[in-house]
Amino acid sequence: MPVDPLTDEQREIRELVRTLSRERIAPRAAEIDKTAEFPWDVVELFREHELFGILYDEQYGGHGASALMALVAIEEVSKVCATSGLILAVQELGSLAIKLAGTNEQKERWLPRLASGEWLAAYALTEPGSGSDSAAMRTEARLDGEEYVLNGSKRFITNAGVAELYTVFAKTDPSKGHSGISAFVVEASASGFEVGRIEPKMGIKGSTTGEVFFNDCRIPEANLVGEEGEGFKVAMRVLDRSRPGIGAQGLGLAQGATDYALEYAKNRETMGTPIAEHQLVAATLADMETKCEAARGLLYKCGRLIDEGADGPELTKISAMAKLYCTDVAMEVTTDAVQVLGGYGYIQEYPVERMMRDAKITQIYEGTNQIQRLVIARQMLKENRAFLPEGVA
């Protein structure tokens, strides 16, 4: 067995999350997918057992923030319901800018409400014409006295309509490209803030994904996170730490699908033998398990590095690698699980078809996997590590 990187206390939290996931969330997963309704009962379960506190320091009402523990929790929940796992991942995503660049006053003002789960958070960077190319964003913010006035829109925002706090990126100087972007906290009650269409989706159906609009939206000057023009740097530092959360969601899906396919294969017989004993099925299951374990090693290494204070190029690279590999594994393994179940895998009575649909988005959001490959390659090109034999150019 691989060495468990968790402390005794963290293992206890993992067991709590695992038990809650299996006993309370798993029975709800199919209904959440069918109704496409946001699972407030799951949020209440997280509140009741203080699971949001995993993401925050004790001084703000949390358990002591640990990136590794957060990844483990997201993984465990996502084994049974990717929508529910995403609730934890986006709570982290939406609050990271405050944790990384916020003032003490901002942290005291907002983090306790997020740590308790009283408020849910969202992260608003993507726009209809600005996904991977954030410099193309059109949302603008101008200072008017002691208030910023925001105008524009964001799209594909997870938790749209259910979040009370949105981390929003807007241009304070449109002439400067990336250097003209700033970060803000917008509360849902702000004047001029509006939630638009909630998108119907192929997977993670219980999670709200929608548009938000800023129509002369006024927020206090004190809601600026960091300095003007630092927004792009803040956004990238956030994504370095949040992308592994999507990796954890993908890993949970992959491991959940593997576990289900294994149990099915042990009980389903053909020609008088469990299909798990047929060589081709056995080989598929072995490959599924191996991919999950390899992904877990990379993901947990990333979590440990964040907890140790890693930053900059080293973190950017391993974060992209963890997100890339875990989510590619999610798509591969959930597809294999459907194949192992055969015709049963394709019908909604069994969870693997839902897992396969849920897995696809993990390769797309928080930076497509094509973008992750570019990020990794660029970091490799900057590393001075190659030693060519003498005479080889």
Side-chain angles (χ1 to χ4, degrees):
M1 291 290 291
V3 176
D4 191 337
L6 303 182
T7 65
D8 289 342
E9 181 181 359
Q10 288 174 328
R11 279 192 286 271
E12 289 180 9
I13 296 174
R14 179 178 62 189
E15 286 307 310
L16 170 64
V17 176
R18 185 175 291 171
T19 299
L20 291 173
S21 297
R22 291 175 176 176
E23 296 181 359
R24 302 285 297 278
I25 301 175
R28 283 274 291 123
E31 184 181 6
I32 291 169
D33 179 68
K34 182 179 180 179
T35 63
E37 294 177 355
F38 184 78
W40 283 109
D41 59 317
V42 174
V43 173
E44 188 55 41
L45 183 70
F46 290 165
R47 290 168 176 164
E48 178 185 348
H49 293 276
E50 301 180 349
L51 297 192
F52 289 113
I54 293 170
L55 311 172
Y56 301 92
D57 287 331
E58 292 180 5
Q59 70 188 96
Y60 305 115
H63 302 305
S66 165
L68 177 58
M69 190 64 243
L71 297 178
V72 170
I74 295 166
E75 175 192 352
E76 290 296 332
V77 177
S78 298
K79 286 179 182 179
V80 302
C81 179
T83 288
S84 299
L86 188 60
I87 292 171
L88 290 175
V90 176
Q91 191 77 342
E92 174 77 335
L93 171 64
S95 58
L96 269 168
I98 301 170
K99 292 198 278 186
L100 291 170
T103 63
N104 289 334
E105 188 277 332
Q106 289 172 333
K107 292 174 183 178
E108 293 287 350
R109 179 180 173 187
W110 288 307
L111 294 186
R113 284 181 157 180
L114 298 173
S116 68
E118 176 190 352
W119 279 15
L120 297 182
Y123 184 82
L125 177 64
T126 301
E127 297 186 3
S130 167
S132 301
D133 180 14
S134 56
M137 74 169 58
R138 294 187 175 183
T139 300
E140 295 185 5
R142 60 179 175 82
L143 188 60
D144 181 22
E146 296 182 349
E147 292 181 319
Y148 278 99
V149 182
L150 278 66
N151 280 285
S153 65
K154 300 290 181 178
R155 195 167 192 189
F156 302 132
I157 305 306
T158 306
N159 278 2
V162 299
E164 290 289 343
L165 180 150
Y166 295 76
T167 298
V168 178
F169 296 86
K171 285 186 174 178
T172 44
D173 188 341
S175 68
K176 291 186 177 179
H178 288 134
S179 298
I181 297 172
S182 301
F184 302 90
V185 170
V186 177
E187 296 182 11
S189 59
S191 172
F193 175 81
E194 180 184 352
V195 176
R197 167 186 166 92
I198 301 298
E199 304 289 352
K201 304 186 298 294
M202 178 171 74
I204 56 165
K205 289 188 173 183
S207 174
T208 63
T209 305
E211 295 176 298
V212 294
F213 298 97
F214 309 95
N215 302 308
D216 287 332
C217 177
R218 289 184 170 272
I219 59 173
E221 183 180 3
N223 286 26
L224 173 69
V225 179
E227 301 294 329
E228 280 197 8
E230 291 184 351
F232 180 74
K233 292 179 181 179
V234 171
M236 295 304 103
R237 291 188 70 208
V238 167
L239 292 173
D240 281 347
R241 290 158 179 79
S242 66
R243 281 174 174 155
I246 301 305
Q249 184 190 29
L251 173 59
L253 280 163
Q255 191 65 67
T258 299
D259 294 347
Y260 194 92
L262 173 63
E263 195 62 29
Y264 177 88
K266 287 161 61 177
N267 292 288
R268 172 82 162 111
E269 292 188 0
T270 61
M271 294 169 281
T273 304
I275 65 171
E277 296 180 17
H278 294 314
Q279 287 185 349
L280 289 175
V281 175
T284 298
L285 291 169
D287 285 344
M288 293 163 68
E289 182 81 349
T290 301
K291 289 174 183 177
C292 287
E293 196 59 47
R296 185 172 293 108
L298 182 58
L299 182 72
Y300 285 15
K301 178 181 178 181
C302 184
R304 289 195 299 272
L305 284 173
I306 294 172
D307 285 340
E308 292 166 4
D311 206 352
E314 177 188 23
L315 179 57
T316 297
K317 180 183 173 185
I318 194 168
S319 171
M321 292 167 69
K323 195 271 185 186
L324 165 69
Y325 189 70
C326 288
T327 59
D328 277 355
V329 163
M331 197 67 242
E332 293 166 9
V333 168
T334 55
T335 303
D336 286 341
V338 170
Q339 194 71 22
V340 169
L341 268 68
Y344 291 107
Y346 201 68
I347 62 177
Q348 293 182 358
E349 183 179 350
Y350 295 80
V352 290
E353 64 85 28
R354 181 185 76 243
M355 292 173 171
M356 185 175 74
R357 287 187 285 107
D358 287 345
K360 185 60 203 174
I361 190 59
T362 67
Q363 294 180 303
I364 297 171
Y365 58 13
E366 288 206 39
T368 66
N369 283 7
Q370 288 79 5
I371 289 294
Q372 303 315 309
R373 287 178 168 87
L374 288 177
V375 169
I376 295 163
R378 286 170 183 168
Q379 295 302 326
M380 291 172 66
L381 291 170
K382 295 176 182 177
E383 296 171 359
N384 184 20
R385 65 179 190 185
F387 294 91
L388 298 177
E390 187 174 348
V392 178

